[in-house]
């Protein structure tokens, strides 16, 4: 049975278990129809031209993992931040782990989507926001159909959340292969601030296929800082669908650090629904072996006087492949838009590949839009300069790679996270540096 | 200290050096002058080990050790320092971090422990003061957005920090106003001692008023065609290079 057929037949059983009056009952049924009609995307689709899911679809995934895969804290300690206190919403094989989590209902809600979907008091929020920002494409629809669990974050107006929120999805390897479909809903009220770190982490070499959907709503003047750490092991694949709705004067920033995993696809969509929004999309991708990362970004400028800043750096070693497909749409009404897109890539080995495709669709006439894309090797002159100062070739190369990626780190606002990312980069490049940049 | 014998070097099959011989002893300053395209910068780069250049023939000895096959970093560890004509910008690496890395990598290669952080700071402070370098400058990204003068001063700062045996200054005077030139020359003069040596590559005699050479060599078409003392530099300044060309022909 193909994975698609398996999912479709599982859906019938899944839907039977849910209560009839679930507010999203109809949404699920519509969503599964979309997936049934479209199936998994293939390379025939323009948006999937350089990324094939074939190798993922062969596995026999467990779709509803058994409960109770508890983990000891010491097994997973290293995946959390330590120096700062955080809220934590942790899932183990798709199941909420109350033991590893630290949720709250004190003025803000940092808890579970399952609770939000089932308890009447959350009904107005679910009705107002759930599935409103998610794309209605086949993979997002597949997630919607099975949406059951994930993080639910609701920040009311005028609230600065003091602790960052960590959303971590562990997979234990207790199943030979597992498919996970976390669904996160994040609503940030007017003038409110929040920092969120999201991570998917497999603890074994077993196959993991995650199809995640995150919806983020930033109300007027909200400030959302979102960090994605993608450093999973080499048999774990991730399709991340993140959709951000921004209201007037809101500021949303997403940093994506892609160092691990087998195949990663980031569908990151920003919709600017109000004037003077500010959107930032930044990424560092460092790959080796046969890893594959595909950044598919969209910034949709709908209203006037908004800005967007995109800066993606990629370093590709061995036979790794990267894709950057960055689309910026400026609607006719979106005058005075200031949209900037930068994508720089370094290929370290002959077999590494990057497919970069900036796309600008501009319908307004008074805008400032720029984009730049480079693909190159490490600068030989710079290497000689460093070597002539006694820095060995390997370290000089590493230092240059660091330097290349560094400016993306400058905007990371959580100091410990910055240090951690720095270390991940050093490990990935395989050197020890005498200082932290 | 440095002995170059009949050095031939090419880049992309184009001959640039056509038999350079040069002896530099400890405690000496040698100036290499010559018209554009005569091979001055190539000579500097070949001594420092730039891989783009192919040594076709000849030898480069440092303290009786043939270095002509060594990697650039190995030569640096042996005590060769090249001050670049066009220092490379390295965004994201501060001046301080870069020099720390350079010094500790060199110490590591020599089997020494890393320099203690407090000693490093003291040294950085002393050398920065000597070269009139603002402390803020040290936490800026290496050469990024530096003026021409700042870049050159930074090169001399690195030289002072690394204390090489042989410093090659490739057109360190270009882009410097007279005040900066004096500061840089002062840095070089303070660095000089009986155990090290300096090769100054320049177009102009001006720098040699401040860094006084023991020998002046004229490089033309990849060969040293004339050598003399500092008076030769004055003569070149006054009369240009044509008279040497005539002399060579004759």
């Amino acid at each position: 049975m193909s994975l698609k057929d398996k999912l479709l037949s599982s859906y019938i059983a899944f839907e039977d278990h849910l209560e009839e009056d679930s507010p999203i009952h109809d949404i699920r049924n519509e969503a599964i129809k979309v997936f049934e009609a479209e199936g998994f995307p293939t390379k025939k689709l323009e948006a999937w031209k350089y990324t094939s899911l074939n190798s993922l679809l062969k596995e026999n995934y467990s779709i509803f993992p058994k409960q109770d895969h508890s983990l000891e804290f010491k097994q997973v300690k290293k995946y959390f931040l330590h120096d700062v206190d955080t809220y934590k919403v942790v899932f183990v094989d798709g199941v909420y782990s109350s033991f590893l989590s630290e949720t709250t209902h004190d003025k803000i809600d940092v808890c579970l989507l399952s609770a939000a979907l089932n308890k009447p008091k959350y009904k107005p929020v679910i009705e107002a926001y759930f599935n409103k920002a998610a794309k209605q494409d086949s993979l997002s629809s597949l997630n919607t159909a099975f949406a059951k669990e994930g993080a639910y974050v609701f920040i009311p107006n005028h609230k600065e959340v003091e602790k960052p929120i960590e959303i971590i999805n562990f997979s234990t390897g207790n199943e030979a292969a597992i498919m996970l479909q976390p669904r996160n809903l994040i609503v940030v009220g007017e003038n409110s601030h929040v920092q969120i770190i999201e991570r998917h982490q497999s603890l074994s070499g077993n196959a993991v296929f995650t199809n995640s959907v995150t919806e983020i709503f930033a109300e007027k003047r909200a400030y959302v800082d979102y960090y994605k750490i993608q450093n999973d092991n080499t048999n774990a694949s991730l399709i991340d669908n993140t959709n951000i709705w921004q209201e007037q004067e809101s500021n949303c920033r997403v940093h994506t650090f892609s160092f691990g995993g087998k195949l990663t696809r980031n569908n990151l969509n920003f919709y600017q629904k109000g004037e003077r929004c500010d959107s930032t999309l930044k990424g560092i991708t460092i790959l080796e072996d046969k890893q594959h990362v595909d950044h598919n970004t969209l910034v949709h400028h709908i209203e006037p006087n908004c800005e967007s800043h995109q800066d993606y750096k990629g370093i590709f070693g061995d036979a790794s492949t990267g894709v950057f497909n960055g689309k910026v749409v400026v609607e006719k009404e979106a005058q005075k838009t200031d949209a900037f897109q930068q994508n720089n890539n370094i290929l370290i080995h002959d077999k590494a590949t990057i497919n970069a495709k900036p796309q600008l669709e501009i319908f307004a006439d008074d805008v400032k839009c720029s984009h730049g894309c480079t693909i190159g090797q490490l600068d030989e002159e710079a290497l000689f300069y460093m070597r002539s100062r006694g820095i060995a070739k390997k370290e000089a190369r590493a230092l240059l790679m660091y330097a290349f990626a560094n400016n993306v780190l400058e905007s990371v606002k959580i100091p410990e996270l910055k240090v951690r990312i720095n270390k991940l980069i050093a490990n990935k490049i395989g050197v020890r540096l005498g200082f932290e940049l | 200290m440095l002995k170059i014998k009949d050095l031939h070097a090419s880049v992309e099959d184009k001959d640039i050096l056509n038999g350079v011989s040069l002896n530099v002893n400890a405690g000496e300053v040698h100036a290499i002058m010559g018209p554009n395209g005569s091979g001055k910068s190539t000579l500097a780069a070949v001594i420092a080990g730039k891989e783009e250049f192919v040594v076709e023939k000849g030898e480069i000895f440092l303290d009786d050790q043939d270095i002509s096959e060594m990697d650039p970093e190995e030569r640096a560890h042996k005590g060769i320092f090249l001050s670049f004509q066009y220092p490379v910008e390295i965004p994201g690496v501060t001046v301080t971090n870069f020099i720390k890395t350079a010094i500790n990598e060199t110490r590591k290669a020599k089997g020494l422990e890393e320099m203690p952080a407090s000693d490093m700071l003291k040294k950085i402070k002393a050398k920065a003061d000597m070269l009139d370098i603002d402390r803020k400058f040290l936490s800026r990204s290496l050469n990024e957005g530096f003026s021409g003068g700042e870049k050159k001063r930074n090169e001399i700062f690195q030289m002072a920090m690394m204390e090489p045996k042989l410093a090659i200054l490739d057109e360190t005077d270009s882009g410097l106003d007279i005040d900066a030139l004096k500061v840089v020359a002062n840095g070089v003069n303070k660095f000089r001692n009986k155990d090290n040596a300096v090769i100054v590559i320049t177009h102009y005699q001006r720098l040699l008023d401040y860094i006084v050479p023991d020998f002046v060599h004229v490089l033309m078409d990849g060969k040293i065609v004339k050598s003399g003392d500092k008076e030769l530099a004055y003569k070149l300044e006054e009369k240009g290079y044509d008279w040497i060309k005539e002399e060579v022909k004759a």
Side-chain angles (χ1 to χ4, degrees), chain B residues 218 220 225-226 232 236 240-249:
Chain B
V218 179
M220 236 177 230
V225 292
K226 194 170 181 66
L232 179 57
L236 290 169
Y241 291 100
D242 287 347
W243 64 276
I244 297 188
K245 275 184 203 161
E246 295 302 319
E247 232 181 70
V248 172
K249 266 187 208 163

Side-chain angles (χ1 to χ4, degrees), chain A residues 381 385 387 389-390 403 435, chain B residues 50 73 77 82 101 155 158:
Chain A
E381 190 65 23
Y385 183 76
R387 295 176 75 189
R389 303 287 140 96
F435 57 90
Chain B
K50 194 170 189 185
E73 56 268 38
H77 301 156
L82 172 62
T101 307
E155 293 291 282
Q158 291 181 41

Side-chain angles (χ1 to χ4, degrees), chain A residues 189-205:
Chain A
E190 289 182 19
N191 289 318
S192 291
H193 288 220
V194 69
Q195 293 178 317
I196 298 174
I197 300 157
E198 180 194 323
R199 183 164 193 155
H200 301 267
Q201 190 65 49
S202 164
L203 304 171
S204 80

Side-chain angles (χ1 to χ4, degrees), chain A residues 408-423:
Chain A
V408 172
L409 279 184
E410 271 170 25
S411 49
V412 173
K413 294 278 172 63
I414 304 171
E416 187 191 352
L417 183 65
K418 199 180 203 168
V419 171
R420 297 279 286 272
I421 300 291
N422 236 323
K423 283 185 182 153

Side-chain angles (χ1 to χ4, degrees), chain A residues 7-281:
Chain A
L7 285 161
L8 290 174
S9 57
S10 303
Y11 178 73
I12 298 165
F14 170 70
E15 181 48 24
D16 266 359
H17 279 84
L18 298 172
E19 293 164 41
E20 276 285 312
D21 63 345
S22 163
I24 65 161
H25 180 79
D26 293 342
I27 295 174
R28 284 186 210 283
N29 281 337
E30 285 307 310
I32 197 72
K33 280 183 207 160
V34 173
F35 176 68
E36 184 171 13
E38 294 180 17
F40 285 101
T42 66
K43 289 178 91 169
K44 284 180 192 151
L45 295 169
E46 185 62 28
W48 289 84
K49 197 173 169 185
Y50 301 109
T51 296
S52 167
L53 296 179
N54 284 347
S55 68
L56 306 189
L57 304 182
K58 284 183 216 143
E59 298 280 348
N60 186 19
Y61 296 104
S62 159
I63 295 168
F64 304 112
K66 292 164 218 80
Q67 300 275 334
D68 226 2
H69 288 159
S70 61
L71 288 173
E72 299 269 341
F73 178 62
K74 63 173 190 226
Q75 285 175 270
V76 293
K77 186 171 176 252
K78 63 177 175 182
Y79 301 113
F80 293 96
L81 289 184
H82 304 297
D83 294 352
V84 284
D85 197 8
T86 59
Y87 294 114
K88 299 171 184 72
V89 191
V90 181
F91 304 94
V92 178
D93 292 337
V95 178
Y96 173 63
S97 165
S98 61
F99 171 64
L100 294 172
S101 297
E102 192 183 325
T103 58
T104 185
H105 293 289
D106 182 14
K107 298 192 185 84
I108 62 171
D109 288 306
V110 178
C111 61
L112 303 181
L113 185 73
S114 58
L117 289 177
N118 293 322
K119 290 184 184 165
K121 74 165 184 176
Y122 297 109
K123 206 176 167 188
V125 178
I126 295 298
E127 282 182 352
Y129 296 103
F130 184 82
N131 212 38
K132 293 292 192 288
K135 273 185 128 177
Q136 309 301 314
D137 58 17
S138 77
L139 288 168
S140 297
S141 297
L142 175 63
N143 177 288
T144 302
F146 284 90
K148 193 173 91 173
E149 194 58 286
Y152 173 80
V153 175
F154 184 87
I155 316 295
N157 295 344
H158 316 296
K159 185 82 201 150
E160 192 161 335
V161 183
E162 281 150 17
K163 304 196 264 183
I165 300 168
E166 294 184 271
I167 302 172
I168 308 188
N169 295 276
F170 291 113
S171 47
T172 58
N174 289 351
E175 314 278 344
I178 191 171
M179 182 167 183
L180 300 170
Q181 301 209 64
R183 176 78 175 215
N184 305 312
L185 177 62
I186 293 151
V187 180
V188 186
E190 289 182 19
N191 289 318
S192 291
H193 288 220
V194 69
Q195 293 178 317
I196 298 174
I197 300 157
E198 180 194 323
R199 183 164 193 155
H200 301 267
Q201 190 65 49
S202 164
L203 304 171
S204 80
N206 288 354
V208 183
F209 177 16
T210 302
N211 177 39
S212 163
V213 170
T214 301
E215 293 180 279
I216 301 171
F217 297 87
E219 299 296 344
K220 283 182 189 171
R221 294 179 296 282
Y223 198 107
V224 180
D225 214 357
Y226 205 103
Y227 302 95
K228 292 173 181 289
I229 304 174
Q230 301 175 340
N231 190 38
D232 216 339
N233 71 36
T234 50
N235 206 14
S237 295
L238 170 68
I239 296 169
D240 181 306
N241 305 279
T242 296
N243 304 280
I244 301 176
W245 266 29
Q246 289 189 247
E247 295 298 337
Q248 192 180 308
E249 290 167 61
S250 62
N251 189 329
C252 293
R253 313 184 322 139
V254 175
H255 288 72
T256 307
F257 301 108
S258 311
F259 307 135
K262 178 184 180 180
L263 181 152
T264 306
R265 162 81 172 214
N266 287 299
N267 295 315
L268 179 57
N269 304 304
F270 278 74
Y271 304 94
Q272 296 178 333
K273 300 277 185 176
E275 287 197 40
R276 294 183 294 282
C277 291
D278 197 320
S279 309
T280 299
L281 303 77

Side-chain angles (χ1 to χ4, degrees), chain A residues 379-382 384-395 399-400 402-404 406-407 410 432-437, chain B residues 48-51 71-73 76-77 81-84 88 90-93 97-98 101-102 105-106 114 142-143 155 158 162:
Chain A
D379 180 355
E380 287 296 328
E381 190 65 23
F384 174 58
Y385 183 76
M386 297 174 117
R387 295 176 75 189
S388 81
R389 303 287 140 96
I391 301 171
K393 194 173 180 179
K394 190 178 168 217
E395 277 71 25
L399 206 51
L400 277 185
Y402 251 100
F404 170 75
N406 178 262
N407 67 339
E410 271 170 25
R432 190 196 67 88
L433 289 172
F435 57 90
E436 270 150 11
L437 294 166
Chain B
K50 194 170 189 185
E51 286 162 346
D71 286 336
E73 56 268 38
H77 301 156
F81 180 92
L82 172 62
S83 167
F84 279 52
V88 181
I90 304 180
V93 180
N97 281 336
F98 183 70
T101 307
E105 286 289 314
T106 301
E114 285 193 356
L142 188 66
N143 292 322
E155 293 291 282
Q158 291 181 41
M162 298 197 68

